[in-house]
Amino acid sequence: MALKCGIVGITNSGKTTLFNCISNTKAQVTNFAFSTGKSNIGICDIPDPRLAQIDQIVKADRLVYANVEIVDIPGLTKGANTGEGIGNSFLADIRLCDAIIHVLRCFDDANLPHINNSIDPVRDIETVDLELQIKDLEQIERKLQKVEKAARTGDKDAKVQLEALNKYKAHLENFENVRTLVTTEAEQKVVADMLFLTAKPTIYVCNVDEKSAISGNKYSQAVVDFLKHTDAEVLIIAGKLESEIAELDAEDRVVFLQDVGLSEPSVDKLLRSAYKTLNLISFFTVGGKENRAWTITHGMTAPQAAGVIHSDLERGFIRAEVIKCDDLLALGSELKCKEAGKLAVEGKNYIVQDGDILHVRFNV
């Protein structure tokens, strides 16, 4: 299951530095606004220590982690909806993403000027939100023109659509994002094809200086206070520090992290947060050529999960033999799990859980 996250933010907020920390693709970092006119795209693994632990018990030729596609979208400025800066290309790239990672500048640096000449991450949130809200409103207004014409002819479906569209419009005109609007399933169907920019789940990353990497600073606290009445997740990451960590080999990285008081690179937490925000979980297949983590949406059945591996497995699904990851790690082998009654045989209605190890039996 492909997962795509867009990294957005005001220019010179540290987006590309963060992108380079987590991606297998390295992009140029500059101090100049609008120095790039296209998005950078990279693939990165979702950190999952369980897979490495499983590999110590059930050997395979290689480990394959679940991954995410990261899109570093060029910096935004006020007026992007009308083409300012890199304008509409920025907004089009966001539309193709499943989730947004909004990087906020929460550090001072005289050598890296802010486009608005002052550091104010709350203002930057409002700037980006406004640009996306305007674009969503434009979509609604275009559709309203068509629906209003149909409603005047007495079309009952059009009247229902008109009511739903006006509800979304009023919410956006009140400077609110679509993701905060309470809607019915019927109302959601009316706009399902519109891929609203402000409907996308968003994680806020406060990019702080090195000395603020653990507890944040006044800028990051302002963000936390601003978002405290929402369910948005706010992470504190020192982008420059993380870029130094990313350059180290595994052994040196452990020592460096200990020295700065971190248990792991903060970008690992970010990737897991993106996974969680999109309601995704992992299950594992083990042995033979690869030990592998597979990505599915929470609530998928065993046949649907099997289909992520290959369509033939879903079509010819018979049953799934399931071992919980924790049981395998505790008991030390698949055989011991079976002997202890920890191997379950599940049918087509089984809902796959995070960390399940599946052996799919099928016949095509």
Side-chain angles (χ1 to χ4, degrees), residues 167-239:
K167 179 176 178 178
Y168 282 94
K169 182 182 178 184
H171 191 68
L172 286 162
E173 287 177 336
N174 198 37
F175 303 105
E176 299 287 348
N177 295 315
V178 168
R179 61 180 170 269
T180 65
L181 180 62
V182 178
T183 56
T184 65
E185 189 173 335
E187 289 168 338
Q188 292 166 19
K189 286 181 180 179
V190 172
V191 300
D193 62 334
M194 301 180 77
L195 301 176
F196 287 133
L197 300 173
T198 65
K200 297 184 182 299
T202 300
I203 300 167
Y204 295 90
V205 173
C206 294
N207 186 13
V208 301
D209 54 279
E210 181 176 340
K211 66 182 180 182
S212 305
I214 305 299
S215 55
N217 56 26
K218 64 180 182 180
Y219 299 127
S220 62
Q221 187 58 50
V223 173
V224 171
D225 292 342
F226 180 70
L227 297 170
K228 65 183 178 182
H229 297 303
T230 73
D231 59 359
E233 184 164 10
V234 181
L235 299 177
I236 295 172
I237 295 179

Side-chain angles (χ1 to χ4, degrees), residues 66-321:
N67 59 51
V68 57
E69 183 174 317
I70 298 290
V71 185
D72 172 31
I73 299 169
L76 180 65
T77 185
K78 188 176 181 179
N81 69 88
T82 60
E84 289 294 324
I86 49 79
N88 288 321
S89 64
F90 170 97
L91 301 171
D93 284 346
I94 295 177
R95 201 175 300 285
L96 299 176
C97 293
D98 301 297
I100 295 173
I101 298 169
H102 188 166
V103 179
L104 299 163
R105 178 165 175 173
C106 294
F107 63 90
D108 294 301
D109 185 347
N111 295 319
L112 190 67
H114 191 290
I115 194 169
N116 296 117
N117 299 315
S118 63
I119 308 302
D120 186 347
V122 172
R123 175 200 57 207
D124 294 347
I125 291 175
E126 293 173 332
T127 296
V128 172
D129 280 355
L130 180 60
E131 298 306 316
L132 303 188
Q133 289 160 4
I134 290 171
K135 211 64 185 175
D136 284 348
L137 269 171
E138 288 177 3
Q139 268 198 294
I140 288 176
E141 286 167 354
R142 284 196 298 270
K143 190 162 185 174
L144 272 172
Q145 291 177 359
K146 299 177 182 178
V147 173
E148 284 171 345
K149 187 180 293 185
R152 286 195 292 269
T153 66
D155 186 324
K156 290 182 179 180
D157 287 340
K159 289 181 179 179
V160 172
Q161 291 180 47
L162 189 62
E163 187 175 330
L165 289 169
N166 279 321
K167 179 176 178 178
Y168 282 94
K169 182 182 178 184
H171 191 68
L172 286 162
E173 287 177 336
N174 198 37
F175 303 105
E176 299 287 348
N177 295 315
V178 168
R179 61 180 170 269
T180 65
L181 180 62
V182 178
T183 56
T184 65
E185 189 173 335
E187 289 168 338
Q188 292 166 19
K189 286 181 180 179
V190 172
V191 300
D193 62 334
M194 301 180 77
L195 301 176
F196 287 133
L197 300 173
T198 65
K200 297 184 182 299
T202 300
I203 300 167
Y204 295 90
V205 173
C206 294
N207 186 13
V208 301
D209 54 279
E210 181 176 340
K211 66 182 180 182
S212 305
I214 305 299
S215 55
N217 56 26
K218 64 180 182 180
Y219 299 127
S220 62
Q221 187 58 50
V223 173
V224 171
D225 292 342
F226 180 70
L227 297 170
K228 65 183 178 182
H229 297 303
T230 73
D231 59 359
E233 184 164 10
V234 181
L235 299 177
I236 295 172
I237 295 179
K240 190 175 180 181
L241 178 66
E242 292 290 323
S243 67
E244 295 174 8
I245 294 171
E247 294 296 326
L248 300 173
D249 59 35
E251 187 174 333
D252 289 340
R253 187 175 298 181
V254 172
V255 175
F256 190 95
L257 286 168
Q258 290 174 344
D259 288 344
V260 297
L262 295 172
S263 59
E264 66 176 338
S266 296
V267 290
D268 287 2
K269 296 178 183 178
L270 171 60
L271 290 170
R272 288 197 295 270
S273 292
Y275 215 58
K276 181 180 176 182
T277 296
L278 288 169
N279 198 31
L280 301 174
I281 61 173
S282 294
F283 73 91
F284 305 111
T285 54
V286 301
K289 292 185 177 180
E290 61 184 29
N291 288 336
R292 180 165 184 160
W294 300 88
T295 302
I296 59 172
T297 301
H298 190 275
M300 275 191 170
T301 62
Q304 290 172 323
V308 172
I309 301 172
H310 196 286
S311 58
D312 284 351
L313 272 67
E314 181 174 10
R315 190 168 67 253
F317 181 89
I318 300 173
R319 67 181 183 275
E321 296 170 2

Side-chain angles (χ1 to χ4, degrees), residues 22-24 42-47 65-70 271:
I22 58 180
S23 170
N24 58 2
I43 302 294
C44 56
D45 291 336
I46 301 293
Y65 290 87
N67 59 51
V68 57
E69 183 174 317
I70 298 290
L271 290 170

